[in-house]
């Protein structure tokens, strides 16, 4: 599955949510979404429109009313579940998200990917996002992660430097460039 650096369409979200309905995971998804925004009680697709119900007034609002961050967060969650036993590519994982939720985002991505057996490839140019990823992996004692830094060489070719968890953590602790 692919999530590009653009807003997922209602159809893409609906397709991902179909898996959630089929596997009876609605309650689990609602709990995960409330970690992003505790004012949200539930997420549902109503007449092909993704909507969130608020706890305060028990009314469903169109997902577009909540901003790009929640939209992306829900897209990631649905994609992780529906990519069970597969691979998920996320382009610019941090785009449209505030740095203050990176830890929660990575925790959800790492936990669900393990639970669903999904290999995740995520791109970013954000040092804060990479540092958050390393922090969360360390907190979860998840050292089964790899960091790939792409560099353009003087001859114009591209070099992919593959680094394991230990090298990534060491690079960050010594304040080396990791982007």
């Amino acid at each position: 599955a692919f999530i590009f650096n653009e807003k997922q369409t209602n159809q893409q979200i609906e397709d991902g949510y179909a898996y959630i309905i089929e596997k009876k995971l609605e309650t689990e998804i609602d709990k995960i979404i409330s970690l992003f925004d505790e004012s949200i009680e539930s997420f549902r697709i109503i007449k092909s429109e993704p909507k969130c119900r608020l706890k305060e007034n028990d009314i469903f609002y169109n997902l577009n009313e909540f901003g790009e961050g929640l939209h992306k967060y829900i897209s990631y969650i649905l994609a992780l579940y529906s990519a069970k036993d597969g691979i998920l590519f996320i382009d610019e994982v941090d785009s449209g998200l505030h740095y203050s939720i990176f830890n929660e985002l990575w925790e959800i991505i790492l936990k669900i990917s393990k639970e669903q057996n999904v290999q995740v490839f995520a791109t970013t140019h954000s040092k804060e996002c990479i540092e958050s990823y390393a922090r969360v992996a360390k907190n979860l004692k998840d050292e089964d992660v790899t960091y790939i830094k792409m560099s353009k060489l003087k001859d114009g070719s591209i070099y992919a430097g593959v680094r394991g968890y230990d090298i990534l953590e060491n690079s960050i602790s010594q304040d080396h460039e990791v982007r």
Side-chain angles (χ1 to χ4, degrees):
F2 294 90
I3 296 184
F4 296 103
N5 187 14
E6 55 198 38
K7 195 172 184 180
Q8 297 287 286
T9 66
N10 286 355
Q11 185 60 56
Q12 289 168 312
I13 291 175
E14 188 173 2
D15 291 346
Y17 195 68
Y19 179 85
I20 302 305
I21 297 293
E22 180 183 321
K23 299 298 181 183
K24 299 180 181 178
L25 295 168
E26 299 94 334
T27 304
E28 180 67 23
I29 297 303
D30 292 342
K31 287 179 194 172
I32 295 168
I33 292 170
S34 72
L35 295 173
F36 182 89
D37 184 337
E38 60 188 32
S39 71
I40 296 174
E41 180 178 63
S42 59
F43 172 80
R44 298 293 180 269
I45 303 290
I46 302 171
K47 295 183 181 179
S48 298
E49 293 287 330
K51 298 189 177 220
C52 292
R53 181 193 335 242
L54 294 181
K55 291 177 183 174
E56 69 183 35
N57 60 13
D58 206 33
I59 295 173
F60 277 101
Y61 294 91
N62 191 297
L63 180 58
N64 292 330
E65 295 180 48
F66 291 90
E68 186 179 346
L70 181 61
H71 198 281
K72 283 198 170 220
Y73 189 76
I74 289 172
S75 297
Y76 296 164
I77 293 165
L78 298 178
L80 281 161
Y81 275 99
S82 58
K84 183 172 176 57
D85 298 323
I87 299 171
L88 176 63
F89 296 92
I90 305 173
D91 184 35
E92 296 293 337
V93 67
D94 59 307
S95 177
L97 298 173
H98 194 269
Y99 72 91
S100 64
I101 66 119
F102 287 167
N103 288 350
E104 289 84 359
L105 174 68
W106 283 119
E107 185 170 343
I108 291 301
I109 289 174
L110 291 173
K111 283 182 175 180
I112 295 173
S113 66
K114 289 282 186 208
E115 185 183 295
Q116 298 296 310
N117 189 35
V118 176
Q119 186 173 14
V120 177
F121 292 86
T123 65
T124 184
H125 295 282
S126 166
K127 181 178 180 185
E128 295 81 9
C129 189
I130 295 167
E131 290 172 345
S132 173
Y133 165 74
R135 253 191 325 273
V136 171
K138 182 177 183 177
N139 289 343
L140 295 175
K141 296 177 176 46
D142 184 355
E143 296 181 13
D144 185 24
V145 297
T146 302
Y147 167 73
I148 303 169
K149 182 176 179 179
M150 306 293 283
S151 302
K152 190 171 187 175
L153 302 178
K154 290 180 182 177
D155 67 1
S157 63
I158 303 293
Y159 171 76
V162 180
R163 299 174 173 101
Y165 173 79
D166 291 336
I167 293 173
L168 172 61
E169 186 174 318
N170 189 40
S171 295
I172 290 171
S173 70
Q174 294 182 20
D175 204 28
H176 292 164
E177 180 58 48
V178 292
R179 290 184 284 172

